[in-house]
Amino acid sequence: MSALALVYAGQGVCGPSASALKKQLKAILDPSISVVKVDGEYLRTKDWEDKTAVLVMGGGSCGCWDQDLQDVGIEKIERYVRGGGKYIGFCAGAYFASRVSSFNQREKSRLLAFFPGKAIGPLVDEADYLSLRAARVVDVSYKFRWSVEDGALYYQGGCLFDVEGDSSTVEIMSVYRALGKAAAVFCKVGKGCAYLDGTHPEFIWKASLKIGDNEVYAELAGKLSTQEVFRQKVWEEIGTKLALRIRGQPLIKRDELNFLPVY
C-alpha cells in the first residue's frame, strides 16, 4: 500500500485552500505518495497513522475544527506527530497547532501545541478577515538551507509566532520584514515535526489575472505572479525540512498555473 498525504477538508476548511494544497502536494511529492482529502470523521475513526507521510491543514476557520475532529481526532493527530509523524499547517492550520491561538485578541489554549508559544493575528485590521480587503502581499525573509532570501507571499488572516529566536525545539524559517516577527516556524515535536506558516504559499497566482476585471486580484496577481520561483522554492524547502519524498523535477509546469486563490 502506498503512503498517504492527508489534506484536511472538513467543516470550516476553506475549499480553495484544500484544493490548492492537494494540487501542490501532488506536484511536489513522489508519485508513491497518494494525496487525498479527508474530513474529521476519517481522522477520528480510521486507522490512518501508520500509512501517512504527512498531514496538512490549511486555511479556513479553525473555530469549527474542535467540533469536527472532537477530542478523539485531535488526540490521534497529536499521537501521530509525537510518535514520528509530520504536520504542515498554514494560516488556520498554524493557529490550530500552536499552544495558544490569539485571534482578534481572543485567546484559546489548543491541545496540539506543536508550537509551544502563541500564534497571534490577524495582522490586518479588517472586520472581515476573509474579505478581499484583508488580502495582502507580504514581504518575507526566508531561511533556506544555504541562504536567507527575500520574497513575497500571499497573506490573508494568518498569524505571527511569538518567538524571539531559535531554540532546541523551534526554528524560525521566515520573518515578516515589516514587523521583524516570525512568519513560519519548524518545530520538533517528540519524534516528529511540524511546519507552521502564517502565510498562504499553497496558492498559485497567474500573471493573466493582472488584466482581469477584479482590481484587487489584478493588483495581487501583478505582484505575486512574479514570485512563483520563490514560492516553489519555499515548497522545496518545506519538503526537504520535513524529510518528505519529493520529485526530482520542477514542482509546477508553467502551463499549470491555473489556481485562483478565492476565499
Side-chain angles (χ1 to χ4, degrees), residues 148-159:
V148 175
E149 297 183 20
D150 294 338
L153 294 169
Y154 168 46
Y155 169 89
Q156 185 147 15
C159 59

Side-chain angles (χ1 to χ4, degrees), residues 3 18 20 38 79 117 140 144 156 161 168 187 205 208 210 225 247:
V38 298
R79 288 197 302 271
V140 298
F144 297 101
Q156 185 147 15
F161 299 92
S168 60
C187 305
W205 290 80
S208 59
K210 292 188 294 185
S225 62
R247 295 176 184 263

Side-chain angles (χ1 to χ4, degrees), residues 62-242:
C62 62
C64 304
W65 297 359
D66 292 318
Q67 179 181 355
D68 189 39
L69 290 163
Q70 303 175 17
D71 286 350
V72 62
I74 296 172
E75 289 168 0
K76 287 182 71 175
I77 294 172
E78 181 184 25
R79 288 197 302 271
Y80 159 72
V81 175
R82 295 191 183 279
K86 299 164 185 178
Y87 176 98
I88 298 173
F90 296 125
C91 195
Y95 285 109
F96 194 67
S98 298
R99 182 180 62 83
V100 175
S101 62
S102 177
F103 191 83
N104 279 335
Q105 300 183 333
R106 295 190 295 271
E107 294 191 356
K108 179 177 177 61
S109 296
R110 296 287 181 183
L111 295 177
L112 293 181
F114 298 154
F115 172 63
K118 187 182 296 185
I120 304 171
L123 309 181
V124 175
D125 187 16
E126 289 286 349
D128 182 2
Y129 71 94
L130 295 180
S131 73
L132 283 175
R133 293 187 303 273
R136 295 289 189 277
V137 177
V138 291
D139 294 322
V140 298
S141 292
Y142 199 95
K143 182 169 68 175
F144 297 101
R145 274 160 286 173
W146 313 118
S147 64
V148 175
E149 297 183 20
D150 294 338
L153 294 169
Y154 168 46
Y155 169 89
Q156 185 147 15
C159 59
L160 62 79
F161 299 92
D162 189 17
V163 58
E164 295 301 322
D166 294 346
S167 68
S168 60
T169 58
V170 177
E171 180 181 0
I172 297 173
M173 298 297 298
S174 176
V175 173
Y176 295 109
R177 293 174 60 193
L179 301 174
K181 298 293 185 180
V185 292
F186 173 79
C187 305
K188 296 179 181 178
V189 187
K191 297 179 180 179
C193 57
Y195 176 91
L196 310 179
D197 197 326
T199 70
H200 282 285
E202 71 269 33
F203 287 116
I204 301 166
W205 290 80
K206 293 189 300 180
S208 59
L209 288 174
K210 292 188 294 185
I211 58 174
D213 294 333
N214 189 304
E215 293 182 2
V216 176
Y217 276 131
E219 182 179 356
L220 292 171
K223 298 175 181 178
L224 289 169
S225 62
T226 66
Q227 298 294 310
E228 182 58 19
V229 171
F230 178 79
R231 190 195 69 84
Q232 290 193 24
K233 193 171 181 180
V234 167
W235 271 100
E236 291 174 337
E237 187 66 24
I238 294 171
T240 300
K241 197 71 179 177
L242 271 64

